[in-house]
Structures are given as structure tokens and as C-alpha cells.
Amino acid sequence: MRRALTAMAAVAVVALFAASPAAAAPPLPGEIVHTETVRMSDQSAITVSFTRWPIRALESLDFTFEPTGGIAGRTGLVTTVAPNGDRRGLKGIFLQRRGDSIVLPRHPRARQVWGLDVVAMPEEGTWRFEFAVEGPGGTSTGVLPIQAIAPPGPPLPLSWTIALAPWAPVALLLIGGWRRGRRIRQSARPTWSG
């Protein structure tokens, strides 16, 4: 009986791991909602995929970048140019850089492509993704303009006001207590009892 229970538990554990998301075939395809094709200078292409579309400023999403022929033996660079012209547009990303460009890493959940995981465009407007792919045949370049629309929800100042409004009475109580304590300390004269 004990052996039968042990065998059943082992089968259940194997079935659990076989059905887990980590064991599923391609990790991101179900999440990809939009793709764009970028024509490169050597007539090849890069397929850029997005996990949200349309892109909203301040909303996190994943990007994947898949050049024609795959990423093996190649290095990819992307320069993200913000709507205001800043060539280091995505500053909060702590990845390897070459000058203003981000060296494209493999996507953490789709190792067969390059990608950026959980990234947000900090401002709305037209962004430019300038690609440079270095491979055995040389370097090819391409540009993809991306429109980031207004962030979801109310404007940030209004959001902060609504979020902090419940704390206003607490701040008033603290200020009132501090003033009262100060008045009491000032009115109490030290006496010498010696």
C-alpha cells in the first residue's frame, strides 16, 4: 500500500511539472498582440513584437526583436529616441550599453529572440527605435517609429491628489499636536529646586 501511494505521488509530481507553464512550448506567443516588420539596410528584416497594443505611456509591456535568420552569431543594438529627441530615451533600463544604444539581450522567457522585459515608455509621443544588427555579413540598420499614446487613467497630479487626500486629516492632527506640545514646552518655565 505504501509503495502504491509513493508511486502515485511520483506520477502526480511528474504530471504537475509536465503541465507547468515553464514546460510549455513557445513562452510568449500567447501574449504577443501586435507585430511590426522593420526593413533593414541590407534588405533583411526584424520582426518587432509587442505584448500590448496600442502602446500607452507609463504602461509596462514586453518587446521581442527577431531578425531574419535568427540571432545566432549576431549582436543587436537599439537606440531608443524619445519624442523630445533624447537618444537615451529608456534610461531606467539597466542593461549593457554602447554609447546611447542598448545591447539587446535574449528575452528572459523567449531565449530564441532578443527582447526587453517589462518596459514602459516614460512619455507619450512618437518614439524612434533605431536598430543596428552586427553579423558576419556586416552591419545593417533600420528604424521603427512607435506612437505612445496618453497613459491610462486620470492625469498623475489628480491621481496623487486622490491617493493622498485620506492622509490630510492625519497630517493636520500631527501638525496640531506638534504646535500644542511646543506651546506647553514654552509655557513651562524651568525651576531650580536646589
Side-chain angles (χ1 to χ4, degrees), residues 5-177:
L5 286 175
T6 305
M8 287 177 20
V11 168
V13 168
V14 169
L16 180 66
F17 280 114
S20 72
L28 275 179
E31 300 173 27
I32 304 266
V33 297
H34 184 76
T35 59
E36 295 279 338
T37 302
V38 180
R39 288 283 160 217
M40 303 297 280
S41 59
D42 66 353
Q43 302 308 312
S44 65
I46 289 184
T47 302
V48 181
S49 301
F50 308 88
T51 56
R52 292 186 186 270
W53 193 262
I55 295 175
R56 294 181 174 276
L58 303 175
E59 187 175 52
S60 296
L61 71 153
D62 287 8
F63 293 97
T64 61
F65 309 100
E66 186 173 9
T68 304
I71 63 172
R74 296 179 177 176
T75 302
L77 302 172
V78 64
T79 304
T80 56
V81 183
N84 64 9
D86 184 4
R87 295 189 61 78
R88 290 178 65 97
L90 297 178
K91 295 177 185 148
I93 298 178
F94 299 106
L95 295 173
Q96 181 182 355
R97 289 192 179 258
R98 282 194 205 160
D100 293 337
S101 299
I102 298 169
V103 177
L104 288 173
R106 290 178 183 261
H107 193 283
R109 290 177 288 138
R111 305 293 295 165
Q112 72 278 11
V113 296
W114 293 318
L116 300 176
D117 185 38
V118 191
V119 175
M121 304 296 205
E123 62 184 90
E124 62 182 289
T126 303
W127 287 73
R128 285 173 39 97
F129 278 35
E130 299 175 354
F131 297 97
V133 177
E134 302 167 355
T139 302
S140 62
T141 59
V143 175
L144 175 65
I146 297 175
Q147 183 68 33
I149 60 177
L156 283 179
L158 177 61
S159 297
W160 277 102
T161 303
I162 291 170
L164 294 176
W167 291 99
V170 174
L172 292 174
L173 285 173
L174 289 173
I175 291 169

